[in-house]
Amino acid sequence: MDLGIAGKWALVCAASKGLGRGCAQALVNEGVNVVINARGADALKDTARQFKVMAAMWAAAAPGRVAPQVIAVAADITTEEGRAAVLNAEGGPGRNFDILVNNAGGPPPGDFRDWDREAWVKALDANMLTPIALIQTVIDGMAERGFGRIVNITSSSVKAPIDILGLSNGARSGLTGFVAGVARSSIAAQGVTINSILPGKFDTDRIAGTIAATAQKTGKSEADVRAAQQKQIPAGRYGTAEEFGAICAFLCSQQAAYITGQNILPDGGAYPGTY
Ligand code: NAP
């Protein structure tokens, strides 16, 4: 299915690895120009190089196609300077993005008794205030041009909170409440949609890190920890970044114009409720 978004410009935050990368890759494979971002320059450069090969392949697959551009900006998206660097990227569209994929690293786990104001501000900055700042920056331009797609990568913990992830539960729920209102404001009639994707367990570096930590804590092997976790998921496995990216690309498509204000939960059936 042609998603009808070739030639659009997307900003995909935190996209050198994992779920952000999956989203950016799916968009490049639809002919979308991307500005991608991460803090670590080496992994980002490597990802951009691979995307440029995919962009050239997309263009070569049919006559008349122009290869989408891939622009990489090494910066911390949770800082004002980082966001300015992304928005002022040379060759990029400035603030005139058609698609915004909000993403950043998740806050650390822990005991709520230990979190001071600084820990909360950091979590809120990364997982609530940064997405809000970027939405504020791009949304009016999208509405004026009559097309916009905003996708927030949040977490299944928004729907089913995880006790040790209180910083994430709180910050991401704040973002979810905010976008629920904005998605239903006047921008809804101007071609702009806002949706969130709530990942369950996906096989990324982040999951590998939590598996290693659990293995160390429990004395079990990493393979045993993986197997035990996957047994808890009705699908019997983790999701892949490619599967996640495909959902994101669809939400950014012309076909998804009537889906807004939704929280999509790809988790292999792990959430046990009916609603
Ligand atoms: P990942 O594999 O560790 O990838 C994270 C990506 O974000 C990397 O490219 C990283 O690059 C970049 N990044 C992190 N902090 C950044 C910052 N401040 N500014 C710019 N780039 C930044 O993680 P993931 O699994 O894709 O997770 C993505 C998000 O989904 C996280 O918020 C995570 O908590 C959430 N999530 C994931 C899962 C899962 O199963 N994977 C489940 C629920 C929620 P640099 O480190 O070089 O900056």
Side-chain angles (χ1 to χ4, degrees):
M1 181 165 61
D2 178 355
L3 300 185
I5 48 177
K8 303 276 190 205
W9 272 99
L11 168 57
V12 187
C13 304
S16 66
K17 298 177 189 169
L19 304 180
R21 180 191 163 122
C23 295
Q25 181 172 316
L27 291 171
V28 168
N29 285 328
E30 287 294 322
V32 174
N33 303 301
V34 293
V35 175
I36 56 170
N37 149 266
R39 292 164 304 181
D42 289 348
L44 184 68
K45 213 163 138 188
D46 197 40
T47 297
R49 190 183 48 74
Q50 292 175 36
F51 283 0
K52 283 178 187 167
V53 173
M54 292 174 198
M57 283 169 66
W58 179 85
R65 284 185 177 181
V66 178
Q69 296 184 56
V70 179
I71 297 174
V73 181
D76 183 340
I77 199 67
T78 68
T79 65
E80 255 179 62
E81 306 77 56
R83 290 190 289 278
V86 162
L87 295 166
N88 295 324
E90 203 184 321
R95 292 167 168 240
N96 295 332
F97 284 99
D98 308 295
I99 294 168
L100 165 65
V101 180
N102 276 317
N103 185 31
D111 185 321
F112 73 90
R113 294 170 189 83
D114 300 330
W115 295 325
D116 56 14
R117 181 175 166 78
E118 199 187 330
W120 273 109
V121 168
K122 213 168 164 199
L124 291 169
D125 259 343
N127 299 114
M128 180 179 170
L129 300 179
T130 290
I132 290 174
L134 289 170
I135 290 170
Q136 285 174 319
T137 302
V138 301
I139 199 165
D140 287 335
M142 290 176 169
E144 276 162 28
R145 294 188 300 278
F147 179 93
R149 299 285 183 267
I150 298 172
V151 176
N152 306 300
I153 300 180
T154 63
S155 170
S156 61
S157 69
V158 168
K159 187 118 170 125
I162 302 165
D163 59 354
I164 56 165
L165 292 179
L167 291 169
S168 169
N169 301 337
R172 296 186 199 277
S173 292
L175 174 66
T176 304
F178 170 78
V179 297
V182 177
R184 292 165 176 87
S185 72
S186 59
I187 58 101
Q190 294 176 285
V192 181
T193 69
I194 314 182
N195 294 288
S196 299
I197 313 180
L198 287 55
K201 283 196 162 54
F202 279 78
D203 206 354
T204 65
D205 281 8
R206 178 171 163 99
I207 277 282
T210 60
I211 288 167
T214 309
Q216 207 174 21
K217 209 165 131 186
T218 58
K220 290 182 183 155
S221 72
E222 289 185 22
D224 283 349
V225 174
R226 268 179 179 267
Q229 283 191 0
Q230 292 182 351
K231 229 173 133 183
Q232 304 286 317
I233 303 169
R237 64 174 179 87
Y238 298 134
T240 68
E242 288 74 20
E243 289 171 318
F244 192 90
I247 299 167
C248 178
F250 179 73
L251 289 174
C252 297
S253 71
Q254 299 286 353
Q255 290 88 340
Y258 207 49
I259 304 175
T260 195
Q262 299 304 306
N263 290 292
I264 312 291
L265 181 62
D267 69 350
Y271 176 71
T274 307
Y275 305 107

